[in-house]
Amino acid sequence: VLLRFAHAMLSANPRTTEVFAVGTEHVRLTRSMIGRRPQGAVRAAGRVRTDWSGGTELGVALTGFLRRWAGTQVVRSATVIFASDGIDQSSHTEMVRQVERIAVLARTLIWANPGGYRSVDVHIARAQDAAARVLGCHDYRALRELAKVITHA
């Protein structure tokens, strides 16, 4: 569902939208998804070499992401949607620090939680506190709300 949402955003704004996946590293999906129909874009994104089976190390992945993209329009003055349940196998301290860094660099940081809830974990809640908004993205109603928030960000 999130890849389809990302595809819709990319189709609506191809010149200003970037799509990444984060696991133990960040992977740019934009090129594989652009200019395709929804199902083809999702299949193409699935063929991109990722580390999704390696677990989630958000701190490490976000450090790499920011090392590569922090000085560009991908992050600076952008509306960044970070879709994550916050489950992390690496240092929570590093994850929180990198999310806070994104919040400072971006115009707006929106945390979209696939579980539809605000985390009760103290570290993840701290990272979510850096976001301007924390929303669910677990069903189509939540995605419609996310789209409204993005439009007005």
Side-chain angles (χ1 to χ4, degrees), residues 14 18 22 27 33 35 42 45 63 69-70 94 104-105 108-109 112 116-117:
E18 291 284 348
V22 177
V27 178
M33 296 178 76
V42 171
T63 297
W69 297 100
E94 184 66 15
V104 168
L105 293 171
T108 305
L109 172 61
Y117 57 86

Side-chain angles (χ1 to χ4, degrees), residues 16-63:
T16 59
T17 302
E18 291 284 348
V19 179
F20 293 88
V22 177
T24 57
E25 61 186 31
H26 75 279
V27 178
R28 186 176 183 214
L29 299 177
T30 308
R31 287 188 186 134
S32 66
M33 296 178 76
I34 200 160
R36 298 180 186 265
R37 294 183 152 203
Q39 206 52 30
V42 171
R43 278 195 300 275
R47 288 191 297 269
V48 173
R49 187 193 69 75
T50 66
D51 61 338
W52 291 340
S53 63
T56 307
E57 295 182 5
L58 294 174
V60 172
L62 292 175
T63 297

Side-chain angles (χ1 to χ4, degrees), residues 65-128:
F65 172 78
L66 287 170
R67 187 172 294 125
R68 167 61 181 92
W69 297 100
T72 69
Q73 290 178 324
V74 169
V75 176
R76 289 198 177 275
S77 301
T79 298
V80 175
I81 295 85
F82 184 68
S84 175
D85 57 8
I87 296 172
D88 191 14
Q89 296 176 339
S90 65
S91 164
H92 286 303
T93 304
E94 184 66 15
M95 185 261 302
V96 170
R97 191 168 80 216
Q98 298 308 325
V99 170
E100 288 173 341
R101 192 169 159 217
I102 290 171
V104 168
L105 293 171
R107 182 180 69 205
T108 305
L109 172 61
I110 300 166
W111 187 299
N113 190 325
Y117 57 86
R118 188 164 179 86
S119 181
V120 294
D121 178 278
V122 66
H123 301 289
I124 297 164
R126 189 167 147 224
Q128 289 177 338

